[in-house]
Amino acid sequence: LLLMVVILILSSNKTYRISLPPNLEFGATVNTGEIDHFEIYSFAGAITQQLNLWKDGKVDFRKNIDKYYAYITPEYRAYLLDEYENLLNLGQLNGRERSLQEEDMYRTSNVIKQSDGWLVQIVFHQQEHINNQRFKDLRIQHSIKVVYRNIDAQSNPWGLQLDVPFERPVRLRELVTSD
């Protein structure tokens, strides 16, 4: 009977998700369905950087929202589209370039498990230019909400999505002032 149960379990066509921590030097205990905090942090940082990589904000901001739709919740997509429309209507996207580079190293304290997902704190170096003139060069802290959704593994193999942020990014310090 036990042998039949084992054979049934092994022969079932199920996929198990296993998240491994970045350092296995001392071994690790992992459980299926649990996601390592480093993976959450890396995902949040990478997707946030890609959403904020613009050569021309008028074109690229909207294009990135569409390109990374599988990695953002429908609520966050609506939030970003609203932000895009507001900036577009104010004329603030024409010729505007933006880039983010992660400033700090990962620490376990950067990721906090919550009932409906994770809060991820990441500090970025943000630079913005308009018509090749730098007008923003600052350190900025993002409070990123990440959720796990059982979605199409073909379009998003992690099942992780960015959700509407807990708060707007906080400017930590101006690095270069405009002339």
Side-chain angles (χ1 to χ4, degrees):
L1 182 63
L2 180 60
L3 180 61
M4 286 178 54
V5 170
V6 169
I7 290 172
L8 283 173
I9 290 172
L10 293 176
S11 66
S12 66
N13 247 351
K14 291 194 175 203
T15 301
Y16 295 97
R17 184 185 203 303
I18 298 175
S19 178
L20 298 175
N23 184 356
L24 295 174
E25 185 177 341
F26 301 107
T29 301
V30 295
N31 296 311
T32 58
E34 288 183 8
I35 304 171
D36 188 76
H37 282 195
F38 180 77
E39 187 175 343
I40 305 285
Y41 180 87
S42 297
F43 174 84
I47 301 302
T48 299
Q49 284 178 297
Q50 291 303 310
L51 286 169
N52 287 280
L53 182 60
W54 315 337
K55 283 292 186 193
D56 178 1
K58 185 176 182 179
V59 174
D60 296 332
F61 188 9
R62 175 60 197 250
K63 188 188 302 183
N64 288 346
I65 294 168
D66 294 336
K67 183 177 180 179
Y68 296 101
Y69 78 94
Y71 304 104
I72 59 178
T73 63
E75 297 82 10
Y76 191 39
R77 178 173 162 60
Y79 174 90
L80 290 173
L81 287 172
D82 187 50
E83 184 176 335
Y84 171 79
E85 290 298 327
N86 288 338
L87 291 174
L88 187 64
N89 291 337
L90 292 170
Q92 294 185 7
L93 291 177
N94 289 338
R96 185 173 181 171
E97 294 180 48
R98 177 185 281 178
S99 66
L100 296 179
Q101 290 81 37
E102 191 177 329
E103 282 256 317
D104 292 336
M105 299 290 290
Y106 164 75
R107 291 186 303 275
T108 54
S109 61
N110 291 94
V111 180
I112 301 163
K113 178 71 173 126
Q114 302 193 314
S115 61
D116 60 344
W118 298 267
L119 167 64
V120 181
Q121 300 281 340
I122 303 179
V123 175
F124 292 103
H125 177 199
Q126 179 175 322
Q127 290 189 329
E128 295 192 25
H129 299 80
I130 293 183
N131 300 322
N132 294 322
Q133 295 291 323
R134 180 174 37 210
F135 78 99
K136 277 190 184 176
D137 192 3
L138 51 97
R139 291 184 80 227
I140 190 163
Q141 180 173 312
H142 284 249
S143 297
I144 305 165
K145 183 176 181 181
V146 178
V147 296
Y148 179 78
R149 301 259 170 101
N150 191 12
I151 55 177
D152 176 29
Q154 292 296 323
S155 59
N156 181 342
W158 296 276
L160 298 173
Q161 292 185 310
L162 301 187
D163 201 2
V164 179
F166 289 101
E167 58 188 35
R168 302 219 25 102
V170 176
R171 183 179 295 198
L172 299 177
R173 144 181 87 128
E174 199 78 27
L175 297 175
V176 175
T177 56
S178 301
D179 295 330

